[in-house]
Amino acid sequence: MSGRRIDEANLDWGASKDAPQSFVLKSLLFDDVYFSGDGAAETTHVFLRGNDLPARFADTQNFSVGEMGFGTGLNFLVLWDAWRKAQKPAGAGLHFLSFEAFPLTPDQMARAHGAWPALSPLSKKLRDALPPPQPGFHRLTLDENLTLTLFYGDALEGLAQTEASIDAWFLDGFAPSKNPDMWSADIFSEMARASAPGASFATFTVAGAVRRNLEIAGFQWEKRAGFGRKREMLAGRIDAPPPDTKRAPWFSKQQARPAPGARIAIIGAGVAGASLAFELSRAGFHPSVYDASGPAAGASGNPAGLIMPRLDLDDTPAGRFHAGAYLHTLRLIEHLQDKMRARFFSPCGVLQHAMNDKDRARQLKLIERGALPAGWMENRSGGLFFPQGGVMEPAAFVRALLGQTPLTIEKVQRLEKRDHRWRVVTSETAEQFDAVIIANGLEALRFADARTLPLSGSAGQIDWFPGAEAPAHVHAFGPYAAPAPAGGLMIGATYAPINIGAEARFTLEAAQSNIAAIARTLPDIAGALDPAASRPRASVRCTTPDRLPVAGPMPDWAFYGAAYDDLRLGKRKEYPRAQMRDGLYILTGLGSRGLVTAPLAAAMIVSELAGAPSPVDADVAQALHPARFFIRDYKRARQTR
């Protein structure tokens, strides 16, 4: 996606001619108003009634709304308020996807919403959760079974990367005469692709160009009575949207989804499994977790874990995923701490040291290119400082994510597919589920479906010195030194290859190695440490060749081998859509960054299960797809022939 900087809205708060005590909110860039008069009443008339809402909520379990132009967020607030009051099935979910190139700040929103005090509680929830002006998709969960996915950036660029099945569209950009790009044939074509069969739309404008472009994209329209001074508005639908063809055929989604309220088994109770349990519960599913050793028994049980970003210079899917995961996890931490009224994260800040001139030049380019928004990354003499980063207690994070999810502390021996359901078999029990997600790190290789994946193990030791003096913030430079949540200093970490089934053991030599590693950058801290005083912990990380997680549906490898064999010969032809193992998913390969990456990867998988708009763009989803290594190997075989 082009460009990294997002400019915030430039507003004019002019007085209303009809009501001098109020204001008419206007964009200086587009020379057009966001709303005038009773904006909430206009939203109800044009967008809710124009899409037959909230009546349509009564007979659907999951409903998705797409909006062109988030603006002040007023349309979302009015819909949210109507959703809360509407009759709907138990556990029903509402998903709202909106695009905005010039977002308002929380303070601007507060002033804009002031005319509707009844919406004040919802407005505060929204403003408190707003993401910083970072390009791309941002997933917010604001209420029981309600998600908001915001895309910051060019609308066409965002729509082209959207994965969604929208039931109703709110077309609320600035007037076609002021912002014609928002009403183009290309925009409506991408909307059609992201629409569910029978999707509706409504808009305030009846401009001829808008009607023609809607028709070109396959939408039917009709004129209806407008609101206030606008005599007419448009409403309509698309009965047969075009197929979603953004993904390569071998990176397909599951062709069937579990029913709302389905029972879903999760294998693994580390941060990956816990993140899945949290997202599944919020989406109205009924998860159950299996783990032979209990919650946070692996690397997720370390006494401290770092929350910091991994930033790329170039605009790549990997870079977008890591930046998005960092912001997503920080929002999630804040949500969980507020909900539990407990603290397990210290935002003490992280200093990423520049180890040489090349490192320093790279860091300066990251700042120049706006890899993170202003206030989220600072140039310091020693390197880059991330003020929102810090240290968390991983086990407490895992417990908060698991909540009341049923947990079986037994080893899963096998998974059996029987009559469209999955049977999870342990030495003591055998239960049936509608779907299964494998999320147990390197142990995933014990299941036949996962053995095609190039997963590898890395044993790592961290050392905690409870009585040692710790720095005020984290120092990271490959190795790291961090203030531990329970007091003292934590340093780490070693890396050594390890096979599945082998036990990671801590040693005095590894403690000495960790001290020596930090001594090169922090000699005073290292010089005060005695290896014998350490409380070490060793665990196994699961890594992949490209250092990205494996997240998505499990491929049917037999189908892949037959259907895509011609890739090895370089044949260009129309390949069939891939077949997946129905109801089987996987999340693993998190490496040493699982605390940051697991929550967003889990949200991506659960969005697919629930039919909700994806929290990542299509290229990111393909970059994390479990089939990527199989396809790369086939294509590389062609190059070596």
Side-chain angles (χ1 to χ4, degrees):
M1 296 183 181
S2 61
R4 271 184 167 167
R5 298 186 186 277
I6 295 294
D7 294 323
E8 293 175 333
N10 191 4
L11 307 179
D12 175 43
W13 305 82
S16 169
K17 295 179 180 178
D18 298 328
Q21 73 279 7
S22 64
F23 58 84
V24 175
L25 184 58
K26 185 177 182 180
S27 165
L28 292 175
L29 177 63
F30 292 101
D31 190 30
D32 198 10
V33 298
Y34 286 90
F35 56 76
S36 59
D38 192 343
E42 183 174 11
T43 292
T44 299
H45 177 85
V46 175
F47 298 114
L48 269 66
R49 292 175 186 160
N51 283 288
D52 195 22
L53 301 174
R56 290 166 68 189
F57 295 153
D59 58 0
T60 185
Q61 195 69 35
N62 280 291
F63 197 90
S64 294
V65 175
E67 179 188 49
M68 303 309 300
F70 190 68
T72 66
L74 181 60
N75 293 340
F76 172 69
L77 293 181
V78 173
L79 180 68
W80 184 3
D81 185 55
W83 166 259
R84 281 186 154 192
K85 300 170 182 175
Q87 291 186 345
K88 51 188 179 291
L94 175 64
H95 311 289
F96 194 89
L97 169 68
S98 189
F99 301 83
E100 180 57 56
F102 302 95
L104 274 69
T105 67
D107 288 344
Q108 288 172 330
M109 253 187 209
R111 184 177 177 186
H113 298 163
W116 299 279
L119 297 175
S120 179
L122 302 186
S123 170
K124 185 177 187 309
K125 274 192 173 185
L126 171 61
R127 289 182 279 113
D128 287 347
L130 282 175
Q134 174 80 0
F137 291 91
H138 304 270
R139 166 64 56 80
L140 315 176
T141 298
L142 300 171
D143 208 346
E144 187 75 20
N145 296 331
L146 182 143
T147 64
L148 167 62
T149 303
L150 283 173
F151 177 85
Y152 284 167
D154 179 77
L156 180 57
E157 200 171 85
L159 269 172
Q161 284 289 319
T162 290
E163 297 199 315
S165 183
I166 299 298
D167 298 296
W169 290 96
F170 295 1
L171 307 188
D172 197 26
F174 292 115
S177 60
K178 303 290 186 177
N179 186 16
D181 290 347
M182 199 68 149
W183 307 88
S184 69
D186 288 340
I187 285 280
F188 294 148
S189 175
E190 291 294 345
M191 275 177 43
R193 180 191 59 80
S195 293
S200 62
F201 79 88
T203 183
F204 61 87
T205 181
V206 294
V210 172
R211 287 180 278 138
R212 288 190 295 273
N213 289 339
L214 283 166
E215 288 178 359
I216 291 170
F219 288 91
Q220 305 166 35
W221 57 265
E222 65 179 16
K223 291 182 179 180
R224 296 185 185 177
F227 179 83
R229 296 178 180 178
K230 296 173 183 172
R231 191 162 53 90
E232 295 176 314
M233 57 169 274
L234 290 181
R237 57 187 287 131
I238 183 168
D239 291 319
D244 184 347
T245 57
K246 286 297 175 181
R247 291 196 188 196
W250 36 80
F251 294 141
S252 296
K253 300 180 181 181
Q254 292 271 12
Q255 295 185 9
R257 297 197 304 267
R263 296 188 70 222
I264 299 177
I266 302 166
I267 316 301
V271 68
S275 296
L276 287 162
F278 179 76
E279 290 294 338
L280 287 167
S281 296
R282 289 208 293 189
F285 294 110
H286 297 290
S288 294
V289 176
Y290 289 80
D291 195 290
S293 303
S300 301
N302 285 342
L306 305 190
I307 302 297
M308 62 179 292
R310 196 205 92 175
L311 301 176
D312 284 3
L313 277 175
D314 298 321
D315 184 18
T316 64
R320 293 197 297 274
F321 170 71
H322 281 291
Y326 176 62
L327 300 177
H328 180 91
T329 295
L330 286 173
R331 284 194 300 272
L332 176 59
I333 289 169
E334 186 174 0
H335 168 79
L336 289 172
Q337 291 187 148
D338 289 346
K339 180 180 178 181
M340 297 175 61
R341 297 182 180 178
R343 314 300 292 180
F344 51 79
F345 174 64
S346 170
C348 57
V350 177
L351 179 65
Q352 179 75 57
H353 288 254
M355 303 307 295
N356 50 47
D357 290 344
K358 184 178 179 181
D359 272 0
R360 191 60 180 148
R362 182 180 183 278
Q363 290 181 345
L364 293 175
K365 284 184 180 179
L366 286 170
I367 294 172
E368 178 187 345
R369 297 181 185 183
L372 286 177
W376 286 75
M377 181 171 59
E378 299 173 5
N379 182 17
R380 298 214 175 166
S381 59
L384 281 184
F385 186 71
F386 303 104
Q388 288 81 9
V391 185
M392 75 150 54
E393 183 185 350
F397 185 41
V398 168
R399 290 193 299 270
L401 290 166
L402 286 172
Q404 301 301 312
T405 304
L407 174 65
T408 301
I409 305 179
E410 296 174 13
K411 183 177 182 178
V412 175
Q413 296 181 329
R414 63 186 183 275
L415 302 173
E416 300 173 350
K417 187 69 182 298
R418 293 187 177 183
D419 299 327
H420 304 292
R421 300 197 79 197
W422 285 91
R423 194 164 177 258
V424 177
V425 182
T426 73
S427 59
E428 303 292 332
T429 63
E431 288 194 65
Q432 287 194 329
F433 294 89
D434 300 290
V436 174
I437 309 176
I438 299 170
N440 58 342
L442 191 62
E443 293 293 305
L445 294 176
R446 296 192 181 278
F447 300 107
D449 286 291
R451 288 175 192 155
T452 300
L453 297 170
L455 305 177
S456 58
S458 173
Q461 177 172 317
I462 58 90
D463 289 279
W464 175 34
F465 298 88
E469 185 175 349
H473 57 256
V474 177
H475 291 263
F477 40 92
Y480 61 85
L489 172 72
M490 192 180 87
I491 64 173
T494 59
Y495 289 83
I498 191 170
N499 294 324
I500 183 174
E503 182 181 353
R505 299 179 182 275
F506 55 82
T507 66
L508 182 63
E509 291 76 12
Q512 293 170 333
S513 175
N514 277 332
I515 293 173
I518 70 164
R520 290 188 283 271
T521 302
L522 304 170
D524 292 342
I525 290 177
L529 300 177
D530 177 4
S534 167
R535 293 187 187 177
R537 191 173 189 278
S539 55
V540 177
R541 315 174 192 90
C542 179
T543 64
T544 64
D546 60 9
R547 299 297 186 262
L548 283 172
V550 172
M554 184 70 77
D556 182 334
W557 300 116
F559 174 88
Y560 270 71
Y564 304 129
D565 187 63
D566 281 348
L567 286 174
R568 297 187 299 115
L569 305 176
K571 290 187 177 180
R572 296 185 178 182
K573 65 179 189 179
E574 185 173 341
Y575 287 94
R577 177 177 175 175
Q579 292 181 12
M580 303 294 156
R581 290 282 279 148
D582 184 33
L584 184 61
Y585 294 77
I586 187 166
L587 173 54
T588 188
L590 301 176
S592 59
R593 295 183 176 271
L595 292 175
V596 175
T597 59
L600 182 57
M604 185 184 81
I605 290 174
V606 174
S607 293
E608 181 173 327
L609 283 159
S614 176
V616 300
D617 65 66
D619 286 344
V620 169
Q622 294 184 112
L624 271 60
H625 197 283
R628 67 186 187 268
F629 302 108
F630 187 98
I631 296 300
R632 286 176 195 172
D633 287 346
Y634 264 31
K635 290 182 176 181
R636 286 170 182 165
R638 172 192 66 200
Q639 296 169 1
T640 59
R641 289 179 65 86

